[in-house]
């Protein structure tokens, strides 16, 4: 369960994640006219960050349930564009990447590429 910047994102699946996003976006949108721009932007960025963390957790769980197992090597999820600059809006698009540790062999390279390709697709579907 993600709890980033005070946001408790405990959605159990993609539909739950969507419901949390919509409710939080509605809450933030209602504050726009009475709040400083930097406070609204900060709230939006915190929401998106927490949603991304939970989407990654759900994607890893889906991979394990479907027989792919846990991530075979460490990886990092990178956020580019408006997200990377902490300038997201309520309807920001996805500009992201995923990098993982170097494979030990050519055989390992294909296994890792396959795992992380599937994980990446799963993450995108959650987001």
């Amino acid at each position: 369960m993600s709890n980033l910047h005070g946001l408790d994102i405990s959605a159990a699946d993609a539909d739950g994640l969507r419901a949390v996003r919509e409710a939080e976006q509605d809450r933030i949108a209602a504050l726009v006219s009475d709040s400083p721009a930097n406070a609204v932007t900060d709230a939006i960025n915190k929401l998106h960050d927490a949603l991304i963390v939970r989407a990654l957790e759900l994607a890893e769980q889906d991979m394990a349930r479907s027989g792919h197992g846990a991530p075979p090597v460490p990886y990092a999820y990178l956020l580019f564009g408006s997200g990377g600059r902490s300038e997201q809006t309520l309807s920001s698009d996805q500009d992201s990447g995923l990098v993982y540790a170097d494979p030990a062999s050519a055989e390992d390279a294909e296994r890792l590429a396959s795992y992380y390709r599937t994980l990446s697709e799963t993450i995108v579907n959650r987001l």
Side-chain angles (χ1 to χ4, degrees), residues 11 13-26 51:
D13 56 27
D15 290 335
L17 200 58
R18 183 178 304 107
V20 168
R21 177 184 52 85
E22 290 171 355
E24 285 296 311
Q25 285 180 328
D26 288 346
L51 290 168

Side-chain angles (χ1 to χ4, degrees), residues 79-118:
L79 192 56
F80 305 113
S82 60
R85 294 187 306 272
S86 296
E87 298 173 346
Q88 296 183 82
T89 66
L90 290 174
S91 60
S92 288
D93 64 342
Q94 295 179 43
D95 295 313
S96 57
L98 191 143
V99 295
Y100 53 88
D102 288 333
S105 65
E107 179 181 286
D108 201 31
E110 182 52 41
R111 181 179 66 84
L112 295 179
S114 176
Y115 179 90
Y116 285 105
R117 184 178 315 109
T118 303

Side-chain angles (χ1 to χ4, degrees), residues 24-98:
E24 285 296 311
Q25 285 180 328
D26 288 346
R27 182 187 64 78
I28 292 169
L31 300 173
V32 169
S33 64
D34 297 328
S35 302
N38 62 335
V40 172
T41 301
D42 187 50
I44 292 169
N45 284 301
K46 287 177 181 177
L47 170 61
H48 283 272
D49 287 349
L51 290 168
I52 289 167
V53 168
R54 186 62 184 148
L56 292 170
E57 292 168 349
L58 291 171
E60 286 185 18
Q61 291 169 10
D62 288 348
M63 292 290 286
R65 271 193 300 274
S66 65
H68 295 283
V73 295
Y75 74 94
Y77 179 85
L78 307 173
L79 192 56
F80 305 113
S82 60
R85 294 187 306 272
S86 296
E87 298 173 346
Q88 296 183 82
T89 66
L90 290 174
S91 60
S92 288
D93 64 342
Q94 295 179 43
D95 295 313
S96 57
L98 191 143

